[in-house]
Amino acid sequence: QTVVTQEPSFSVSPGGTVTLTCGLNSGSVSSDHFPSWYQQTPGQTPRTLIYSTTTRSSGVPNRFSGSIVGNKAALTITGAQADDESNYYCVLYLGGGISMFGGGTKLTVL
Amino acid sequence: QVTLRESGPALVKPTQTLTLTCTFSGFSLGTLGMCVTWIRQPPGKALEWLARIDWDGDEYYSTSLKTRLTISKDTSKSQVVLTVTNMDPVDTATYYCARNRVDDYDNYIDVWGPGTLVTVAS
């Protein structure tokens, strides 16, 4: 069974840089998986941050960037701010019309 | 402006069928590349991709839930309906619909509905 993997939690200092990753238990992630990233604070609707690996959604600050690092998709936050403290989810396209969310990473800024 | 909104019962009993409607505006589901995806999130847990319907009527389902899910669209009403059969307390979740853009180079959700909480209890 395919599983999309994310770090359960991560912490970063204000102003620091953090890279969250999104992997596949069955192999490498590539741009063919159209990696996308979503931010969700508790009680709120998810917000689209990054799609197609690297494209920032409208209105998303340029401190958020997406890439492929090694065999995983990655979301990097450069110059983290307090309001970046959220849950971050990635989605990978698995083929056949089906996509899958990762388990999410809870990011703490402290 | 693109908006989506979910509607349906807040409470269903175990074994019942859940029917949710997504009513949207600002785009047409008859337009090439436009799709609607349903996602759910149990309280305190992760998002889960459920199903997608495309502009051409193609339907796609989560492998683990496909025997229980049906997605359909009424393009003229700008609505997408998701049914989930044989509901169980573990299906208690906030259910979201979202616009999904698909082409040869992209596949992503760009606009989310606010979600609707569905509780399964007797």
Side-chain angles (χ1 to χ4, degrees), chain B residues 25-60:
Chain B
S25 64
F27 71 99
S28 169
L29 201 41
T31 299
L32 180 70
M34 294 296 172
C35 317
V36 169
T37 294
W38 283 94
I39 302 107
R40 71 179 181 180
Q41 185 174 38
K45 296 189 176 181
L47 298 164
E48 180 181 16
W49 190 95
L50 297 179
R52 189 185 99 197
I53 191 162
D54 292 0
W55 71 97
D56 57 4
D58 282 349
E59 305 163 24
Y60 305 99

PDB file of all heavy atoms in Angstrom, chain B residues 25-60:
ATOM      1  N   SER B  25     -19.233  28.443  -7.468  1.00  0.00           N
ATOM      2  CA  SER B  25     -19.434  29.546  -8.402  1.00  0.00           C
ATOM      3  C   SER B  25     -18.078  30.074  -8.834  1.00  0.00           C
ATOM      4  O   SER B  25     -17.060  29.825  -8.177  1.00  0.00           O
ATOM      5  CB  SER B  25     -20.265  30.652  -7.763  1.00  0.00           C
ATOM      6  OG  SER B  25     -19.578  31.214  -6.665  1.00  0.00           O
ATOM      7  N   GLY B  26     -18.083  30.788  -9.919  1.00  0.00           N
ATOM      8  CA  GLY B  26     -16.857  31.405 -10.409  1.00  0.00           C
ATOM      9  C   GLY B  26     -16.103  30.566 -11.434  1.00  0.00           C
ATOM     10  O   GLY B  26     -15.071  30.998 -11.959  1.00  0.00           O
ATOM     11  N   PHE B  27     -16.581  29.357 -11.682  1.00  0.00           N
ATOM     12  CA  PHE B  27     -16.001  28.524 -12.731  1.00  0.00           C
ATOM     13  C   PHE B  27     -17.059  27.517 -13.171  1.00  0.00           C
ATOM     14  O   PHE B  27     -18.064  27.317 -12.495  1.00  0.00           O
ATOM     15  CB  PHE B  27     -14.727  27.812 -12.269  1.00  0.00           C
ATOM     16  CG  PHE B  27     -14.946  26.699 -11.258  1.00  0.00           C
ATOM     17  CD1 PHE B  27     -14.975  25.365 -11.639  1.00  0.00           C
ATOM     18  CD2 PHE B  27     -15.117  27.008  -9.910  1.00  0.00           C
ATOM     19  CE1 PHE B  27     -15.165  24.363 -10.709  1.00  0.00           C
ATOM     20  CE2 PHE B  27     -15.306  26.013  -8.965  1.00  0.00           C
ATOM     21  CZ  PHE B  27     -15.338  24.683  -9.362  1.00  0.00           C
ATOM     22  N   SER B  28     -16.794  26.894 -14.326  1.00  0.00           N
ATOM     23  CA  SER B  28     -17.698  25.875 -14.841  1.00  0.00           C
ATOM     24  C   SER B  28     -16.998  24.529 -14.839  1.00  0.00           C
ATOM     25  O   SER B  28     -15.845  24.405 -15.280  1.00  0.00           O
ATOM     26  CB  SER B  28     -18.125  26.214 -16.266  1.00  0.00           C
ATOM     27  OG  SER B  28     -18.798  25.113 -16.850  1.00  0.00           O
ATOM     28  N   LEU B  29     -17.695  23.517 -14.371  1.00  0.00           N
ATOM     29  CA  LEU B  29     -17.140  22.182 -14.385  1.00  0.00           C
ATOM     30  C   LEU B  29     -17.219  21.567 -15.780  1.00  0.00           C
ATOM     31  O   LEU B  29     -16.809  20.430 -15.992  1.00  0.00           O
ATOM     32  CB  LEU B  29     -17.873  21.306 -13.360  1.00  0.00           C
ATOM     33  CG  LEU B  29     -17.187  20.041 -12.850  1.00  0.00           C
ATOM     34  CD1 LEU B  29     -15.701  20.247 -12.589  1.00  0.00           C
ATOM     35  CD2 LEU B  29     -17.872  19.541 -11.601  1.00  0.00           C
ATOM     36  N   GLY B  30     -17.705  22.351 -16.743  1.00  0.00           N
ATOM     37  CA  GLY B  30     -17.672  21.916 -18.125  1.00  0.00           C
ATOM     38  C   GLY B  30     -16.444  22.418 -18.862  1.00  0.00           C
ATOM     39  O   GLY B  30     -16.233  22.081 -20.033  1.00  0.00           O
ATOM     40  N   THR B  31     -15.620  23.189 -18.181  1.00  0.00           N
ATOM     41  CA  THR B  31     -14.426  23.764 -18.801  1.00  0.00           C
ATOM     42  C   THR B  31     -13.248  22.801 -18.700  1.00  0.00           C
ATOM     43  O   THR B  31     -12.993  22.236 -17.628  1.00  0.00           O
ATOM     44  CB  THR B  31     -14.055  25.089 -18.125  1.00  0.00           C
ATOM     45  OG1 THR B  31     -15.140  26.012 -18.277  1.00  0.00           O
ATOM     46  CG2 THR B  31     -12.795  25.697 -18.725  1.00  0.00           C
ATOM     47  N   LEU B  32     -12.527  22.650 -19.789  1.00  0.00           N
ATOM     48  CA  LEU B  32     -11.343  21.780 -19.828  1.00  0.00           C
ATOM     49  C   LEU B  32     -10.410  22.067 -18.658  1.00  0.00           C
ATOM     50  O   LEU B  32     -10.052  23.228 -18.399  1.00  0.00           O
ATOM     51  CB  LEU B  32     -10.616  22.004 -21.148  1.00  0.00           C
ATOM     52  CG  LEU B  32      -9.358  21.197 -21.402  1.00  0.00           C
ATOM     53  CD1 LEU B  32      -9.700  19.724 -21.621  1.00  0.00           C
ATOM     54  CD2 LEU B  32      -8.596  21.744 -22.612  1.00  0.00           C
ATOM     55  N   GLY B  33     -10.029  21.015 -17.953  1.00  0.00           N
ATOM     56  CA  GLY B  33      -9.069  21.163 -16.868  1.00  0.00           C
ATOM     57  C   GLY B  33      -9.656  21.438 -15.504  1.00  0.00           C
ATOM     58  O   GLY B  33      -8.940  21.432 -14.504  1.00  0.00           O
ATOM     59  N   MET B  34     -10.953  21.652 -15.447  1.00  0.00           N
ATOM     60  CA  MET B  34     -11.606  21.922 -14.162  1.00  0.00           C
ATOM     61  C   MET B  34     -12.113  20.626 -13.538  1.00  0.00           C
ATOM     62  O   MET B  34     -12.726  19.798 -14.215  1.00  0.00           O
ATOM     63  CB  MET B  34     -12.768  22.889 -14.336  1.00  0.00           C
ATOM     64  CG  MET B  34     -12.355  24.263 -14.766  1.00  0.00           C
ATOM     65  SD  MET B  34     -11.343  25.071 -13.518  1.00  0.00           S
ATOM     66  CE  MET B  34     -10.843  26.528 -14.442  1.00  0.00           C
ATOM     67  N   CYS B  35     -11.857  20.484 -12.257  1.00  0.00           N
ATOM     68  CA  CYS B  35     -12.285  19.296 -11.526  1.00  0.00           C
ATOM     69  C   CYS B  35     -12.725  19.736 -10.122  1.00  0.00           C
ATOM     70  O   CYS B  35     -12.394  20.826  -9.673  1.00  0.00           O
ATOM     71  CB  CYS B  35     -11.138  18.299 -11.361  1.00  0.00           C
ATOM     72  SG  CYS B  35     -10.131  18.050 -12.817  1.00  0.00           S
ATOM     73  N   VAL B  36     -13.447  18.862  -9.450  1.00  0.00           N
ATOM     74  CA  VAL B  36     -13.783  19.068  -8.036  1.00  0.00           C
ATOM     75  C   VAL B  36     -13.364  17.823  -7.271  1.00  0.00           C
ATOM     76  O   VAL B  36     -13.635  16.697  -7.691  1.00  0.00           O
ATOM     77  CB  VAL B  36     -15.275  19.364  -7.838  1.00  0.00           C
ATOM     78  CG1 VAL B  36     -15.649  19.309  -6.354  1.00  0.00           C
ATOM     79  CG2 VAL B  36     -15.637  20.737  -8.414  1.00  0.00           C
ATOM     80  N   THR B  37     -12.686  18.048  -6.180  1.00  0.00           N
ATOM     81  CA  THR B  37     -12.186  16.977  -5.315  1.00  0.00           C
ATOM     82  C   THR B  37     -12.837  17.076  -3.944  1.00  0.00           C
ATOM     83  O   THR B  37     -13.066  18.176  -3.440  1.00  0.00           O
ATOM     84  CB  THR B  37     -10.656  17.090  -5.173  1.00  0.00           C
ATOM     85  OG1 THR B  37     -10.052  16.830  -6.447  1.00  0.00           O
ATOM     86  CG2 THR B  37     -10.102  16.107  -4.158  1.00  0.00           C
ATOM     87  N   TRP B  38     -13.125  15.930  -3.360  1.00  0.00           N
ATOM     88  CA  TRP B  38     -13.595  15.866  -1.984  1.00  0.00           C
ATOM     89  C   TRP B  38     -12.447  15.350  -1.103  1.00  0.00           C
ATOM     90  O   TRP B  38     -11.745  14.390  -1.468  1.00  0.00           O
ATOM     91  CB  TRP B  38     -14.790  14.933  -1.847  1.00  0.00           C
ATOM     92  CG  TRP B  38     -16.082  15.515  -2.315  1.00  0.00           C
ATOM     93  CD1 TRP B  38     -16.650  15.390  -3.547  1.00  0.00           C
ATOM     94  CD2 TRP B  38     -16.989  16.317  -1.560  1.00  0.00           C
ATOM     95  NE1 TRP B  38     -17.838  16.065  -3.601  1.00  0.00           N
ATOM     96  CE2 TRP B  38     -18.087  16.641  -2.381  1.00  0.00           C
ATOM     97  CE3 TRP B  38     -17.002  16.799  -0.242  1.00  0.00           C
ATOM     98  CZ2 TRP B  38     -19.166  17.414  -1.959  1.00  0.00           C
ATOM     99  CZ3 TRP B  38     -18.065  17.570   0.192  1.00  0.00           C
ATOM    100  CH2 TRP B  38     -19.133  17.866  -0.657  1.00  0.00           C
ATOM    101  N   ILE B  39     -12.330  15.979   0.047  1.00  0.00           N
ATOM    102  CA  ILE B  39     -11.305  15.650   1.042  1.00  0.00           C
ATOM    103  C   ILE B  39     -11.996  15.623   2.404  1.00  0.00           C
ATOM    104  O   ILE B  39     -12.969  16.359   2.616  1.00  0.00           O
ATOM    105  CB  ILE B  39     -10.206  16.735   1.072  1.00  0.00           C
ATOM    106  CG1 ILE B  39      -9.562  16.893  -0.301  1.00  0.00           C
ATOM    107  CG2 ILE B  39      -9.151  16.455   2.136  1.00  0.00           C
ATOM    108  CD1 ILE B  39      -9.946  18.168  -1.022  1.00  0.00           C
ATOM    109  N   ARG B  40     -11.507  14.805   3.311  1.00  0.00           N
ATOM    110  CA  ARG B  40     -12.074  14.830   4.657  1.00  0.00           C
ATOM    111  C   ARG B  40     -10.960  14.875   5.694  1.00  0.00           C
ATOM    112  O   ARG B  40      -9.800  14.560   5.395  1.00  0.00           O
ATOM    113  CB  ARG B  40     -12.991  13.649   4.922  1.00  0.00           C
ATOM    114  CG  ARG B  40     -12.294  12.315   5.055  1.00  0.00           C
ATOM    115  CD  ARG B  40     -13.303  11.206   5.338  1.00  0.00           C
ATOM    116  NE  ARG B  40     -12.660   9.908   5.496  1.00  0.00           N
ATOM    117  CZ  ARG B  40     -13.324   8.783   5.740  1.00  0.00           C
ATOM    118  NH1 ARG B  40     -14.660   8.784   5.848  1.00  0.00           N
ATOM    119  NH2 ARG B  40     -12.666   7.643   5.896  1.00  0.00           N
ATOM    120  N   GLN B  41     -11.348  15.258   6.905  1.00  0.00           N
ATOM    121  CA  GLN B  41     -10.385  15.372   7.992  1.00  0.00           C
ATOM    122  C   GLN B  41     -11.062  15.025   9.316  1.00  0.00           C
ATOM    123  O   GLN B  41     -11.830  15.833   9.851  1.00  0.00           O
ATOM    124  CB  GLN B  41      -9.810  16.794   8.045  1.00  0.00           C
ATOM    125  CG  GLN B  41      -8.724  16.972   9.069  1.00  0.00           C
ATOM    126  CD  GLN B  41      -8.084  18.345   8.978  1.00  0.00           C
ATOM    127  OE1 GLN B  41      -8.748  19.351   8.741  1.00  0.00           O
ATOM    128  NE2 GLN B  41      -6.762  18.404   9.159  1.00  0.00           N
ATOM    129  N   PRO B  42     -10.790  13.850   9.853  1.00  0.00           N
ATOM    130  CA  PRO B  42     -11.311  13.524  11.187  1.00  0.00           C
ATOM    131  C   PRO B  42     -10.762  14.503  12.216  1.00  0.00           C
ATOM    132  O   PRO B  42      -9.661  15.051  12.021  1.00  0.00           O
ATOM    133  CB  PRO B  42     -10.790  12.102  11.445  1.00  0.00           C
ATOM    134  CG  PRO B  42     -10.484  11.560  10.083  1.00  0.00           C
ATOM    135  CD  PRO B  42     -10.040  12.731   9.276  1.00  0.00           C
ATOM    136  N   PRO B  43     -11.490  14.731  13.289  1.00  0.00           N
ATOM    137  CA  PRO B  43     -11.023  15.698  14.300  1.00  0.00           C
ATOM    138  C   PRO B  43      -9.608  15.380  14.776  1.00  0.00           C
ATOM    139  O   PRO B  43      -9.318  14.261  15.190  1.00  0.00           O
ATOM    140  CB  PRO B  43     -12.044  15.528  15.424  1.00  0.00           C
ATOM    141  CG  PRO B  43     -13.277  15.026  14.751  1.00  0.00           C
ATOM    142  CD  PRO B  43     -12.798  14.171  13.623  1.00  0.00           C
ATOM    143  N   GLY B  44      -8.732  16.364  14.683  1.00  0.00           N
ATOM    144  CA  GLY B  44      -7.362  16.218  15.147  1.00  0.00           C
ATOM    145  C   GLY B  44      -6.469  15.362  14.282  1.00  0.00           C
ATOM    146  O   GLY B  44      -5.329  15.064  14.669  1.00  0.00           O
ATOM    147  N   LYS B  45      -6.961  14.956  13.125  1.00  0.00           N
ATOM    148  CA  LYS B  45      -6.167  14.068  12.272  1.00  0.00           C
ATOM    149  C   LYS B  45      -5.860  14.720  10.928  1.00  0.00           C
ATOM    150  O   LYS B  45      -6.172  15.873  10.688  1.00  0.00           O
ATOM    151  CB  LYS B  45      -6.897  12.736  12.091  1.00  0.00           C
ATOM    152  CG  LYS B  45      -7.067  11.972  13.395  1.00  0.00           C
ATOM    153  CD  LYS B  45      -7.586  10.575  13.162  1.00  0.00           C
ATOM    154  CE  LYS B  45      -7.652   9.801  14.466  1.00  0.00           C
ATOM    155  NZ  LYS B  45      -8.136   8.415  14.254  1.00  0.00           N
ATOM    156  N   ALA B  46      -5.234  13.935  10.063  1.00  0.00           N
ATOM    157  CA  ALA B  46      -4.744  14.461   8.791  1.00  0.00           C
ATOM    158  C   ALA B  46      -5.854  14.536   7.747  1.00  0.00           C
ATOM    159  O   ALA B  46      -6.905  13.895   7.851  1.00  0.00           O
ATOM    160  CB  ALA B  46      -3.604  13.582   8.275  1.00  0.00           C
ATOM    161  N   LEU B  47      -5.570  15.304   6.713  1.00  0.00           N
ATOM    162  CA  LEU B  47      -6.442  15.371   5.554  1.00  0.00           C
ATOM    163  C   LEU B  47      -6.389  14.056   4.787  1.00  0.00           C
ATOM    164  O   LEU B  47      -5.342  13.395   4.731  1.00  0.00           O
ATOM    165  CB  LEU B  47      -6.014  16.522   4.646  1.00  0.00           C
ATOM    166  CG  LEU B  47      -6.096  17.925   5.261  1.00  0.00           C
ATOM    167  CD1 LEU B  47      -5.294  18.908   4.429  1.00  0.00           C
ATOM    168  CD2 LEU B  47      -7.541  18.367   5.369  1.00  0.00           C
ATOM    169  N   GLU B  48      -7.507  13.689   4.177  1.00  0.00           N
ATOM    170  CA  GLU B  48      -7.577  12.452   3.397  1.00  0.00           C
ATOM    171  C   GLU B  48      -8.271  12.731   2.076  1.00  0.00           C
ATOM    172  O   GLU B  48      -9.398  13.232   2.052  1.00  0.00           O
ATOM    173  CB  GLU B  48      -8.329  11.374   4.170  1.00  0.00           C
ATOM    174  CG  GLU B  48      -8.457  10.048   3.426  1.00  0.00           C
ATOM    175  CD  GLU B  48      -9.221   8.986   4.185  1.00  0.00           C
ATOM    176  OE1 GLU B  48      -9.937   9.331   5.164  1.00  0.00           O
ATOM    177  OE2 GLU B  48      -9.117   7.792   3.806  1.00  0.00           O
ATOM    178  N   TRP B  49      -7.627  12.422   0.976  1.00  0.00           N
ATOM    179  CA  TRP B  49      -8.194  12.577  -0.371  1.00  0.00           C
ATOM    180  C   TRP B  49      -9.222  11.486  -0.607  1.00  0.00           C
ATOM    181  O   TRP B  49      -8.950  10.297  -0.381  1.00  0.00           O
ATOM    182  CB  TRP B  49      -7.066  12.471  -1.389  1.00  0.00           C
ATOM    183  CG  TRP B  49      -7.387  12.827  -2.795  1.00  0.00           C
ATOM    184  CD1 TRP B  49      -7.197  14.039  -3.391  1.00  0.00           C
ATOM    185  CD2 TRP B  49      -7.911  11.973  -3.812  1.00  0.00           C
ATOM    186  NE1 TRP B  49      -7.582  13.986  -4.710  1.00  0.00           N
ATOM    187  CE2 TRP B  49      -8.029  12.718  -4.994  1.00  0.00           C
ATOM    188  CE3 TRP B  49      -8.313  10.633  -3.843  1.00  0.00           C
ATOM    189  CZ2 TRP B  49      -8.506  12.194  -6.196  1.00  0.00           C
ATOM    190  CZ3 TRP B  49      -8.786  10.091  -5.022  1.00  0.00           C
ATOM    191  CH2 TRP B  49      -8.881  10.870  -6.181  1.00  0.00           C
ATOM    192  N   LEU B  50     -10.421  11.874  -1.061  1.00  0.00           N
ATOM    193  CA  LEU B  50     -11.503  10.903  -1.221  1.00  0.00           C
ATOM    194  C   LEU B  50     -11.840  10.611  -2.677  1.00  0.00           C
ATOM    195  O   LEU B  50     -11.896   9.446  -3.088  1.00  0.00           O
ATOM    196  CB  LEU B  50     -12.772  11.414  -0.523  1.00  0.00           C
ATOM    197  CG  LEU B  50     -12.717  11.610   0.983  1.00  0.00           C
ATOM    198  CD1 LEU B  50     -14.044  12.151   1.482  1.00  0.00           C
ATOM    199  CD2 LEU B  50     -12.357  10.310   1.683  1.00  0.00           C
ATOM    200  N   ALA B  51     -12.124  11.636  -3.446  1.00  0.00           N
ATOM    201  CA  ALA B  51     -12.622  11.420  -4.800  1.00  0.00           C
ATOM    202  C   ALA B  51     -12.482  12.693  -5.615  1.00  0.00           C
ATOM    203  O   ALA B  51     -12.406  13.796  -5.065  1.00  0.00           O
ATOM    204  CB  ALA B  51     -14.085  10.979  -4.773  1.00  0.00           C
ATOM    205  N   ARG B  52     -12.474  12.515  -6.925  1.00  0.00           N
ATOM    206  CA  ARG B  52     -12.379  13.644  -7.847  1.00  0.00           C
ATOM    207  C   ARG B  52     -13.257  13.383  -9.056  1.00  0.00           C
ATOM    208  O   ARG B  52     -13.355  12.241  -9.523  1.00  0.00           O
ATOM    209  CB  ARG B  52     -10.937  13.834  -8.317  1.00  0.00           C
ATOM    210  CG  ARG B  52     -10.658  15.107  -9.107  1.00  0.00           C
ATOM    211  CD  ARG B  52      -9.225  15.104  -9.620  1.00  0.00           C
ATOM    212  NE  ARG B  52      -9.169  14.672 -11.012  1.00  0.00           N
ATOM    213  CZ  ARG B  52      -8.046  14.259 -11.611  1.00  0.00           C
ATOM    214  NH1 ARG B  52      -6.907  14.203 -10.936  1.00  0.00           N
ATOM    215  NH2 ARG B  52      -8.061  13.886 -12.878  1.00  0.00           N
ATOM    216  N   ILE B  53     -13.918  14.440  -9.531  1.00  0.00           N
ATOM    217  CA  ILE B  53     -14.661  14.349 -10.781  1.00  0.00           C
ATOM    218  C   ILE B  53     -14.176  15.440 -11.709  1.00  0.00           C
ATOM    219  O   ILE B  53     -13.929  16.577 -11.278  1.00  0.00           O
ATOM    220  CB  ILE B  53     -16.195  14.421 -10.548  1.00  0.00           C
ATOM    221  CG1 ILE B  53     -16.947  14.062 -11.824  1.00  0.00           C
ATOM    222  CG2 ILE B  53     -16.614  15.786 -10.011  1.00  0.00           C
ATOM    223  CD1 ILE B  53     -18.400  13.697 -11.597  1.00  0.00           C
ATOM    224  N   ASP B  54     -14.000  15.078 -12.972  1.00  0.00           N
ATOM    225  CA  ASP B  54     -13.399  15.979 -13.947  1.00  0.00           C
ATOM    226  C   ASP B  54     -14.433  16.602 -14.883  1.00  0.00           C
ATOM    227  O   ASP B  54     -15.583  16.142 -14.962  1.00  0.00           O
ATOM    228  CB  ASP B  54     -12.371  15.220 -14.781  1.00  0.00           C
ATOM    229  CG  ASP B  54     -11.156  14.817 -13.962  1.00  0.00           C
ATOM    230  OD1 ASP B  54     -11.116  15.136 -12.754  1.00  0.00           O
ATOM    231  OD2 ASP B  54     -10.254  14.170 -14.527  1.00  0.00           O
ATOM    232  N   TRP B  55     -13.991  17.615 -15.624  1.00  0.00           N
ATOM    233  CA  TRP B  55     -14.849  18.330 -16.552  1.00  0.00           C
ATOM    234  C   TRP B  55     -15.522  17.391 -17.563  1.00  0.00           C
ATOM    235  O   TRP B  55     -16.631  17.674 -18.018  1.00  0.00           O
ATOM    236  CB  TRP B  55     -14.015  19.376 -17.294  1.00  0.00           C
ATOM    237  CG  TRP B  55     -13.054  18.782 -18.270  1.00  0.00           C
ATOM    238  CD1 TRP B  55     -13.220  18.622 -19.617  1.00  0.00           C
ATOM    239  CD2 TRP B  55     -11.760  18.219 -17.977  1.00  0.00           C
ATOM    240  NE1 TRP B  55     -12.135  18.021 -20.166  1.00  0.00           N
ATOM    241  CE2 TRP B  55     -11.209  17.766 -19.191  1.00  0.00           C
ATOM    242  CE3 TRP B  55     -11.009  18.078 -16.806  1.00  0.00           C
ATOM    243  CZ2 TRP B  55      -9.948  17.164 -19.272  1.00  0.00           C
ATOM    244  CZ3 TRP B  55      -9.759  17.482 -16.886  1.00  0.00           C
ATOM    245  CH2 TRP B  55      -9.259  17.037 -18.102  1.00  0.00           C
ATOM    246  N   ASP B  56     -14.854  16.282 -17.867  1.00  0.00           N
ATOM    247  CA  ASP B  56     -15.374  15.360 -18.868  1.00  0.00           C
ATOM    248  C   ASP B  56     -16.191  14.229 -18.248  1.00  0.00           C
ATOM    249  O   ASP B  56     -16.600  13.305 -18.966  1.00  0.00           O
ATOM    250  CB  ASP B  56     -14.229  14.767 -19.688  1.00  0.00           C
ATOM    251  CG  ASP B  56     -13.196  14.048 -18.825  1.00  0.00           C
ATOM    252  OD1 ASP B  56     -13.407  13.950 -17.596  1.00  0.00           O
ATOM    253  OD2 ASP B  56     -12.192  13.578 -19.377  1.00  0.00           O
ATOM    254  N   GLY B  57     -16.421  14.308 -16.928  1.00  0.00           N
ATOM    255  CA  GLY B  57     -17.219  13.307 -16.247  1.00  0.00           C
ATOM    256  C   GLY B  57     -16.434  12.142 -15.686  1.00  0.00           C
ATOM    257  O   GLY B  57     -17.002  11.280 -14.996  1.00  0.00           O
ATOM    258  N   ASP B  58     -15.143  12.068 -15.952  1.00  0.00           N
ATOM    259  CA  ASP B  58     -14.341  10.990 -15.374  1.00  0.00           C
ATOM    260  C   ASP B  58     -14.341  11.102 -13.853  1.00  0.00           C
ATOM    261  O   ASP B  58     -14.270  12.187 -13.299  1.00  0.00           O
ATOM    262  CB  ASP B  58     -12.909  11.040 -15.896  1.00  0.00           C
ATOM    263  CG  ASP B  58     -12.784  10.472 -17.300  1.00  0.00           C
ATOM    264  OD1 ASP B  58     -13.757   9.851 -17.778  1.00  0.00           O
ATOM    265  OD2 ASP B  58     -11.724  10.654 -17.920  1.00  0.00           O
ATOM    266  N   GLU B  59     -14.402   9.942 -13.215  1.00  0.00           N
ATOM    267  CA  GLU B  59     -14.473   9.868 -11.755  1.00  0.00           C
ATOM    268  C   GLU B  59     -13.293   9.052 -11.231  1.00  0.00           C
ATOM    269  O   GLU B  59     -12.911   8.034 -11.841  1.00  0.00           O
ATOM    270  CB  GLU B  59     -15.773   9.167 -11.327  1.00  0.00           C
ATOM    271  CG  GLU B  59     -17.039   9.789 -11.884  1.00  0.00           C
ATOM    272  CD  GLU B  59     -18.226   8.833 -11.787  1.00  0.00           C
ATOM    273  OE1 GLU B  59     -18.193   7.927 -10.927  1.00  0.00           O
ATOM    274  OE2 GLU B  59     -19.181   9.000 -12.564  1.00  0.00           O
ATOM    275  N   TYR B  60     -12.748   9.490 -10.094  1.00  0.00           N
ATOM    276  CA  TYR B  60     -11.619   8.793  -9.487  1.00  0.00           C
ATOM    277  C   TYR B  60     -11.861   8.705  -7.981  1.00  0.00           C
ATOM    278  O   TYR B  60     -12.378   9.641  -7.378  1.00  0.00           O
ATOM    279  CB  TYR B  60     -10.311   9.540  -9.769  1.00  0.00           C
ATOM    280  CG  TYR B  60     -10.073   9.786 -11.236  1.00  0.00           C
ATOM    281  CD1 TYR B  60     -10.375  11.012 -11.810  1.00  0.00           C
ATOM    282  CD2 TYR B  60      -9.569   8.769 -12.051  1.00  0.00           C
ATOM    283  CE1 TYR B  60     -10.168  11.224 -13.169  1.00  0.00           C
ATOM    284  CE2 TYR B  60      -9.367   8.978 -13.405  1.00  0.00           C
ATOM    285  CZ  TYR B  60      -9.672  10.207 -13.956  1.00  0.00           C
ATOM    286  OH  TYR B  60      -9.469  10.418 -15.294  1.00  0.00           O
TER     287      TYR B  60
END
